């Protein structure tokens, strides 16, 4: 048993609360244990300038964290006048992950902005953001279909993400903040509903690692994202 | 009856949810109708440099709004690289209001940062921030008393805030966003539990107004803040 | 008698010097005692983008202070790379105050920028800016009428502003810097020539205050702005 | 054969030119085909503030690209006033990769800054930066050993990096810019001299991919970094 | 006769008004025709960090222009968030020029900041700033001598500056804005009271020029600065 | 003989390597001794907005320095978020110098951006940038003539630049960094192939200087630029 009192391959309690925003076209409050992220999807009639007249749409993401989402307060990025490298790295990852399962041709001239704002952070904020962001995006597309703006939801699959780590040679699923701090390595996997790979990011934090360890983490991640995809389906009433 | 189906002198449904944050020393999610603000109070052992060795403590506030807190998405201040004038004006107001009922001498060498982050905005975000921020601040001080860091809560009174407006010559209490948009004038009152004035900001939006109208708004505001103070007391179990 | 050797209800020596700029369409150097503000009004043929094709014009204001306008030199905002919250708050107030007496419909497609630059500061820079800014604005409009660009001056009234404060329970008019520092509360009133209220900002600095104190300040403010309006009229030769 | 006239598993011509800088403690101009990166290592006696008195040293990296390193000129980051998210992501990766093979305890109170400046870019700039950066770092440590500042070179292993991609189901090694543009997926592998994994970043650009494809890329990457490590050894005269 | 109705070698009407600021240790409003610059000298007890414990003092300058100092309004640098290259170039020139006649060793641990703010600009703002800045600086030093902080004024000579230009092959002294716009070349000369050269900046605007033309401009400049130095002496009552 | 083991009037070894960039329309790596500058010329079909429809083209320059181009590492301007005053001053000088020998009318609707990036700095980076920038510019124009975009190269002459200094009353040509540090005065001369003056910048660093010293430096500078122009011609095969 791990510090967090979970089996190596078990997720934290996961909860999706859809439609939490009065205004956003799609929204979802996602909880991976004590990590809480508010995801909203905003539909705009205007694509970035480099896509204009291309017949394609676009999906982009922004990420932020409230100053006291963490145990130690961090300075507000707006007050410091710039987003950190970490923030930019995460929001680029969220955007790429969502676009990987979208049919941009079918979204012609529409852009969806997915905002992922971390209300409370206990590890895994980027994976919660991707997984909850997909739900918000799906809800926004549902609304566009209902309004007749789109004929069908332009998503080719689910996308879900989960972290893994290595501790004393053992692979662990869905690290919380304390586990992440002491892990020898950590990894983030973004997978589709059918199990295909969208993104993998693996980093040796304290120790380099082997191909075998990498494959063990992938097995756990697949188990985790299968479970997340199933919860996404329940949340959206898809089954 | 007004557009919002309330009497001229009635508040929107008000709700305080204390202790919503796993990490902050004090926290409160405050709702004025569809306006939702997450307030956290962070205690620091370090005062601003101009107060060092003065034997006084300090209270400061920061304010932010999630990009899709509003009907139209607004750009993220962190991405634009600067806080708007409106944001700075509001956070200065929150800080001054909270300091007006604090005994800074009794807080020696402590600083409390109150973060007010608007999750959803439907008018009155600054008044909700002050009113909920006071609750978060009180909770943080309670914890410091329990820990023996402070001998007593260094607050001399409650502080609560509410907006008023003028529409067709009539004064209205606690405007929502649509009422605010069409008001001839609007005002924000910050009052103490004993009814003393902390801050008044009145602005003619479409029409200048008279001393009488100003006094009518003050009467309503006093009624509103009395009710808010009573809810603050219930929330904190002070009565 | 107060520290400044004036009666509680007396203004400092006030002086308006119109047409001080070789280039600006309207200009005025205004002095409230040792507070000196250079106000210029610049006419542009281009309104902000959100007003385009609306048939309305716009008036906006900017505020700045020379680094050594004050007893202690302050860092140049241009060198620090951002305007302070105080600067933004003041320039927003000036703009709102001037627009409150302007007929924006009658200014179609014109924007006037009023720049208020403080050459020397001894308290009351925002009230001097509003009062002198109105003169510069009026002069710019006179020129546009003379040139046939406008049929009439699109101002519905005068606007003037003055500060008040509370010291030991007594209301004082037009605080200088030292009086302001030690006041229990201070207030800024923006009133029209007919005595209607445009803006009121009241802040408890050291002590909260009562409704009665608020009304005493309003009485003084009205006396002060009446006098300022009369000086505006003399300066412009309106009577 | 691929567009670039190479076998699927062959690197572009690789060249390391050590000691190119008159001033830097260590330096290396590295070429992966037409990608040219100037790497310098600067030794400082001062660690970041959060490491002070920890007895540990630090290695950090910065990355930049000359405006006309690319086919289309890009705007200078210094002129735009901020580094892009891509730049920050890359320089964080370089720093982590180099630290993974460093003994920071043995570097007490020293910081090395590795600057990687891309003079010409034809794909793979981050992998060339890591691989050449390690050479510059090693040279700087050699000098410190020669000067008696360090007893031994505080590096536990080599580190080298290479990109792979998937095109029509086939894995390719060391993509140039045109290959990268049209790849279905791309990946960057950072491996040690002993073959352990330091970082893996895999991204589905046009198509999601399978575990098998991932493993094929890893096989190629290992072949590539073995070759790079062998060239690093030759360059430094280690064998 | 030139467009400005002056002889080729005649200055515009020059006026120095000393001690215009209530607060600054030294101040001077300088007018070169319609160019008006407010110069203030601020004495600080703190030198830049790189001079600490060096036994030397420092003189630095900052330059700014009010937005409507010019025929066309320019955007406020504080609002744009950065000083232009032109501003930085000019303030560096002013600082160097003043330091060239200062005995920094005799100023131990004092820094003087000279702020030159252009209230109205009609060509020659940098030369007026240097010439008036020297007067403000001298006045500040006089005060320090009177207070006993310094034993003597640590200035080794006067410094004064003037522009010249070439128009149709003829050298002209002290160009106004329109002359400057149409000149084939322009030059700024900074000279001491004894006629030694401190700075020369010559630029071919429309036509390159010869050594002879350069020497003609120097002759005019010397005549101009001699006159300026004589006016500086009168202003300060040095003769 | 000087510290650098050269005669007072001798240049350091000068080397131009043309066409070093795979992508730029024109490029040149220029070496003045240990000062190495990479110059690229980028042709754009778009002129600045204030030149649109004027029938004229434009030439502009940007300047940068790698962080470890110098003996002490300097912070990266992109990381600090702004270009220094020195950088802006230099890039404005390079642009003006190149435009002085260009026929902008003959370049209609084309803009050339000349980037000068200092790989290694040992004094004279701005003069090397101008001299090598002219070669890159010429090469870009040759290509445009070859492609038929231009009928002839729109350059009216060569431009070359060199520094001079005064040490113990003697004039020296082409200072390296150490000579520059200890010089009493330094100067930069930009001259055409025919010997006409484009720019002169002279600064008294430690001592003011006389007209005679100024003329001695001009004599040396002319000798230096004649030599540089002759090397430019060889590099381009013009003779």
């Amino acid at each position: 048993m791990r510090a967090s009192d979970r089996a190596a391959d078990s997720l934290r309690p996961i909860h999706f609360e859809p439609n939490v925003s009065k205004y956003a076209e799609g929204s979802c409050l996602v909880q991976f244990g004590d990590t809480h992220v508010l995801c909203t999807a905003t539909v705009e009639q205007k694509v970035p300038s480099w896509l204009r007249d291309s017949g394609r749409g676009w999906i982009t993401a922004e990420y932020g964290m409230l100053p006291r989402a963490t145990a130690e307060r961090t300075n507000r990025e707006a007050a410091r006048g710039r987003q950190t490298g970490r923030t930019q790295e995460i929001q680029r990852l969220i955007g790429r992950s969502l676009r990987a399962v979208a049919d941009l041709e079918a979204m012609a001239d529409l852009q969806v902005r997915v905002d992922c704002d971390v209300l409370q952070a206990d590890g895994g904020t980027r994976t919660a953001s991707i997984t909850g962001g997909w739900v918000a995006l799906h809800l926004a597309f549902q609304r566009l279909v209902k309004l007749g703006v789109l004929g069908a939801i332009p998503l080719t699959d689910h996308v879900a993400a989960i972290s893994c780590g290595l501790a004393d040679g053992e692979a662990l699923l869905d690290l919380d903040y304390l586990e992440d701090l002491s892990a020898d390595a950590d990894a983030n996997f973004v997978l589709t509903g059918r199990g295909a790979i969208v993104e993998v990011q693996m980093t040796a934090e304290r120790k380099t690692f082997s191909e075998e360890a990498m494959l063990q983490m992938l097995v756990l991640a697949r188990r985790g994202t299968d479970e997340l995809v199933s919860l996404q389906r329940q949340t959206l009433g898809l089954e």
Side-chain angles (χ1 to χ4, degrees), chain A:
Chain A
M1 290 298 273
R2 33 211 283 216
S4 65
D5 225 21
R6 286 185 279 147
D9 66 350
S10 76
L11 296 172
R12 291 176 283 181
I14 305 292
H15 185 70
F16 296 95
E17 186 178 346
N19 300 316
V20 290
S21 160
K22 176 189 172 90
Y23 303 115
E25 283 73 35
S27 65
C28 177
L29 176 66
V30 59
Q31 307 187 344
F32 280 25
D34 283 331
T35 290
H36 303 176
V37 184
L38 181 53
C39 305
T40 58
T42 297
V43 178
E44 300 176 352
Q45 304 276 9
K46 197 181 157 198
V47 292
S49 56
W50 49 273
L51 264 187
R52 213 159 291 155
D53 304 318
S54 70
R56 299 176 67 212
W58 194 244
I59 296 168
T60 187
E62 294 190 14
Y63 171 92
M65 205 184 258
L66 297 195
R68 195 58 198 279
T70 45
E72 301 283 312
R73 185 179 183 277
T74 50
N75 288 328
R76 198 175 281 270
E77 288 186 323
R80 294 190 313 187
R82 56 178 59 200
Q83 293 178 300
T84 62
R86 180 185 170 277
T87 290
Q88 295 191 59
E89 199 169 314
I90 292 175
Q91 65 193 9
R92 284 155 53 91
L93 170 65
I94 301 169
R96 284 198 310 271
S97 298
L98 296 174
R99 287 192 298 274
V101 293
D103 179 357
L104 299 175
E105 270 74 21
M107 284 176 60
D109 296 330
L110 292 179
Q111 175 168 248
V112 185
R113 283 183 193 274
V114 177
D115 285 289
C116 299
D117 284 275
V118 180
L119 306 186
Q120 195 169 278
D122 187 29
T125 63
R126 80 187 69 190
T127 56
S129 295
I130 292 166
T131 311
W134 185 88
V135 173
L137 181 62
H138 197 280
L139 287 164
F141 282 140
Q142 281 183 330
R143 175 175 301 199
L144 292 174
V145 169
K146 211 170 284 175
L147 292 170
V149 176
L150 292 177
I153 290 177
L155 290 170
T156 59
D157 203 343
H158 286 244
V159 81
I162 200 69
S163 74
C164 292
L166 294 173
D168 301 321
E170 194 192 11
L172 301 177
L173 183 66
D174 188 22
L175 307 187
D176 65 24
Y177 180 66
L178 287 180
E179 290 175 328
D180 187 65
L181 262 190
S182 61
D184 291 330
D186 64 43
N188 290 291
F189 294 88
V190 185
L191 303 175
T192 66
R194 291 185 198 94
I197 300 173
V198 173
E199 288 264 346
V200 179
Q201 295 184 334
M202 290 186 281
T203 300
E205 294 288 350
R206 302 165 157 252
K207 272 196 213 156
T208 58
F209 56 94
S210 66
E211 188 174 329
E212 291 68 41
M214 167 178 140
L215 290 174
Q216 281 168 34
M217 290 194 287
L218 178 56
V219 168
L220 286 190
R222 213 180 278 283
R223 198 168 307 172
T225 55
D226 283 353
E227 204 170 323
L228 291 169
V229 165
S230 157
L231 288 164
Q232 287 176 332
R233 300 188 69 80
Q234 282 173 34
T235 300
L236 294 169
L238 295 179
E239 250 159 354

